[in-house]
Amino acid sequence: DGGITQSPKYLFRKEGQNVTLSCEQNLNHDAMYWYRQDPGQGLRLIYYSQIVNDFQKGDIAEGYSVSREKKESFPLTVTSAQKNPTAFYLCASSILPTGEIFNEQFFGPGTRLTVL
Amino acid sequence: AQKITQTQPGMFVQEKEAVTLDCTYDTSDPSYGLFWYKQPSSGEMIFLIYQGSYDQQNATEGRYSLNFQKARKSANLVISASQLGDSAMYFCAMKSGGYNKLIFGAGTRLAVHP
């Protein structure tokens, strides 16, 4: 079945450690996104990528890094520079944006990161 | 600045009744899209319905309909014949400009009572 997978589902990290969250999609989508969700809040965009080897910062990119070496994969690294990394992280993908044409984002199941 | 506002932190509805979840938006772009997503307790985001700024008719998808009032910049979600499985967080989101960046509201938690 086509979809987006994220692993792991739960992740625990000690302060000062970098950690990488996986996101893979087999929908043949060009665009991929990472969002952060804090309790009781909506999603905020961290990074997005519209093509392999290219990505742009979203609204809260500080303390995060990404790579896009393959179309199917868009891993997110939470670095030690991220001051408050405990949150729920959601990966999404879509066809390339084309003006007014409707193109929904499909979301993965999410990774819940807790810093101990 | 682009912004989505959901003023209802929580809503209660009786099973089989209809419920309206409010959403107002702010953008200066003439072309934009409005989305509603459902987030059950498991965490995944489920797409419900979409309304384009140039769509002449209100969007409908099964029990979901979108009450789009462009002049008032509102895009309220109406769920008819509520079911217990509708209990979840509901997010309104907007896409505007040439990119596919979604801006989300803070969400409304809906509880359906038997």
Side-chain angles (χ1 to χ4, degrees):
Chain A
D1 288 354
I4 301 175
T5 56
Q6 290 186 243
S7 60
K9 189 172 177 65
Y10 297 96
L11 189 57
F12 297 90
R13 183 195 99 174
K14 291 183 180 179
E15 277 193 45
Q17 288 181 338
N18 292 356
V19 63
T20 297
L21 282 59
S22 167
C23 176
E24 304 276 334
Q25 55 98 359
N26 62 3
L27 300 167
N28 200 32
H29 285 164
D30 287 295
M32 296 187 73
Y33 314 81
W34 273 106
Y35 291 91
R36 169 182 171 139
Q37 185 179 25
D38 292 286
Q41 298 187 30
L43 280 64
R44 291 181 291 167
L45 183 66
I46 305 172
Y47 268 99
Y48 64 103
S49 167
Q50 299 189 85
I51 195 170
V52 172
N53 292 324
D54 187 48
F55 43 83
Q56 289 79 41
K57 292 182 179 179
D59 299 319
I60 55 165
E62 185 176 350
Y64 300 97
S65 66
V66 293
S67 63
R68 187 88 187 273
E69 297 177 2
K70 297 187 300 182
K71 185 176 182 178
E72 305 79 26
S73 178
F74 191 40
L76 173 75
T77 297
V78 185
T79 75
S80 55
Q82 169 50 234
K83 290 183 169 53
N84 186 19
T86 294
F88 187 53
Y89 291 87
L90 285 153
C91 177
S93 72
S94 75
I95 60 174
L96 275 178
T98 49
E100 294 112 35
I101 295 176
F102 165 58
N103 52 346
E104 73 174 275
Q105 291 185 16
F106 294 81
F107 285 82
T111 292
R112 196 167 298 279
L113 172 64
T114 302
V115 173
L116 304 172
Chain B
Q2 296 164 351
K3 189 178 180 182
I4 291 282
T5 302
Q6 294 179 256
T7 57
Q8 306 155 313
M11 289 283 287
F12 296 91
V13 66
Q14 205 76 23
E15 197 177 7
K16 300 179 185 175
E17 298 291 315
V19 63
T20 297
L21 306 184
D22 294 341
C23 172
T24 58
Y25 60 91
D26 190 18
T27 180
S28 56
D29 290 316
S31 174
Y32 52 90
L34 296 155
F35 300 76
W36 276 92
Y37 281 87
K38 172 184 178 180
Q39 187 179 43
S41 57
S42 53
E44 77 271 26
M45 298 288 282
I46 302 168
F47 166 75
L48 297 177
I49 197 166
Y50 168 83
Q51 181 84 44
S53 57
Y54 293 117
D55 293 342
Q56 295 296 313
Q57 293 188 329
N58 286 345
T60 60
E61 287 287 347
R63 295 187 298 111
Y64 305 108
S65 61
L66 204 151
N67 183 2
F68 182 47
Q69 298 188 43
K70 197 169 181 178
R72 299 178 64 180
K73 292 191 174 180
S74 74
N76 299 339
L77 176 70
V78 180
I79 304 175
S80 63
S82 296
Q83 302 172 356
L84 295 178
D86 293 336
S87 294
M89 282 290 288
Y90 288 81
F91 291 96
C92 181
M94 176 174 65
K95 171 182 87 82
S96 67
Y99 300 101
N100 205 26
K101 293 169 60 175
L102 283 178
I103 298 166
F104 284 82
T108 296
R109 182 172 298 280
L110 176 67
V112 181
H113 292 173

